[in-house]
Amino acid sequence: NAGVTQTPKFQVLKTGQSMTLQCAQDMNHNSMYWYRQDPGMGLRLIYYSASEGTTDKGEVPNGYNVSRLNKREFSLRLESAAPSQTSVYFCASSEAGGWGYTFGSGTRLTVV
Amino acid sequence: AQKITQTQPGMFVQEKEAVTLDCTYDTSDQSYGLFWYKQPSSGEMIFLIYQGSYDEQNATEGRYSLNFQKARKSANLVISASQLGDSAMYFCAKKRPGANNLFFGTGTRLTVIP
């Protein structure tokens, strides 16, 4: 089925460990996004990629890096995980400047 | 940052009744889009309905309708004939055309009572 695929679905890290969250879309969308969802705060944008080869910071970029590997794939890296990064992470994609966002199923990350 | 306000942290509705979930927003934009998403307990974000700021008619999608009052800067979601499967978190969101962020409210947890 067409859509946005995120891996892994669940992850537990120790403080200071690193990891990369993977995201791939097969809808030929130009734009891709990483959001985090915390209790009582809705979703907040971490980074986005308006098109292949470009990335920009969102509202809460500190502690994260991203890579737009190609048009399909957009990864989020935590270099040194902190307990404050415990959250649910969503990847999304859209047409460039488009209205409709398609979300992945999320990654639940716990940093202990 | 754009501010989206959902003042109802939790709502209860009897099965088969209608319910309104509130959403207000701050903006000085003339053109923008408003969205509602549903997040069931399984966690995925499901798009429900979209309203453009210049749309003259309120948006409808099946049992979902959007009560859009531009002057009041409100975009309330109305769910008619509630079903048990409607129990979920509901998020209101706003986006400017060409912008790269979809701003979300804090959500309302709806519980449908049999």
Side-chain angles (χ1 to χ4, degrees):
Chain A
N1 290 338
V4 178
T5 303
Q6 289 182 237
T7 56
K9 293 191 182 301
F10 301 94
Q11 184 71 48
V12 179
L13 289 179
K14 293 183 178 179
T15 298
Q17 285 186 317
S18 62
M19 80 160 294
T20 299
L21 280 64
Q22 306 287 353
C23 176
Q25 53 92 7
D26 57 7
M27 294 171 288
N28 203 35
H29 284 166
N30 288 305
S31 301
M32 298 185 73
Y33 314 85
W34 277 104
Y35 283 85
R36 61 177 288 173
Q37 182 182 21
D38 301 299
M41 299 192 73
L43 278 73
R44 292 179 294 166
L45 184 65
I46 305 171
Y47 269 93
Y48 67 93
S49 170
S51 61
E52 187 178 355
T54 69
T55 61
D56 280 292
K57 296 177 180 179
E59 298 175 74
V60 289
N62 292 344
Y64 305 95
N65 287 301
V66 290
S67 295
R68 184 74 182 267
L69 304 170
N70 48 55
K71 191 171 185 178
R72 290 187 63 247
E73 298 172 286
F74 188 39
S75 62
L76 179 72
R77 183 160 178 84
L78 288 71
E79 290 291 351
S80 179
S84 60
Q85 294 178 306
T86 293
S87 189
V88 180
Y89 292 84
F90 286 96
C91 178
S93 70
S94 74
E95 294 291 346
W99 291 119
Y101 281 43
T102 302
F103 284 86
S105 56
T107 296
R108 186 173 294 276
L109 176 67
T110 303
V111 183
V112 298
Chain B
Q2 312 264 307
K3 186 173 183 181
I4 313 298
T5 302
Q6 295 181 252
T7 57
Q8 307 152 314
M11 289 281 287
F12 292 87
V13 63
Q14 204 75 35
E15 193 177 7
K16 301 180 185 177
E17 298 290 313
V19 63
T20 298
L21 306 183
D22 294 341
C23 173
T24 59
Y25 53 92
D26 289 340
T27 190
S28 57
D29 300 321
Q30 294 301 309
S31 178
Y32 50 89
L34 297 159
F35 304 78
W36 278 90
Y37 284 83
K38 172 184 178 182
Q39 186 178 44
S41 58
S42 52
E44 69 268 33
M45 295 290 287
I46 301 168
F47 166 75
L48 293 179
I49 196 166
Y50 160 80
Q51 176 86 42
S53 60
Y54 286 115
D55 293 341
E56 294 185 356
Q57 303 277 353
N58 284 341
T60 60
E61 289 286 348
R63 295 186 298 110
Y64 304 109
S65 60
L66 203 152
N67 183 359
F68 179 47
Q69 298 187 50
K70 190 172 182 177
R72 293 188 174 186
K73 298 182 181 177
S74 74
N76 299 338
L77 178 70
V78 180
I79 305 174
S80 62
S82 296
Q83 302 172 356
L84 296 178
D86 294 335
S87 293
M89 283 289 288
Y90 288 82
F91 291 95
C92 178
K94 175 181 172 289
K95 183 177 182 293
R96 294 191 300 228
N100 288 293
N101 196 0
L102 187 59
F103 285 94
F104 286 83
T106 53
T108 296
R109 182 172 296 282
L110 177 67
T111 302
V112 180
I113 303 166

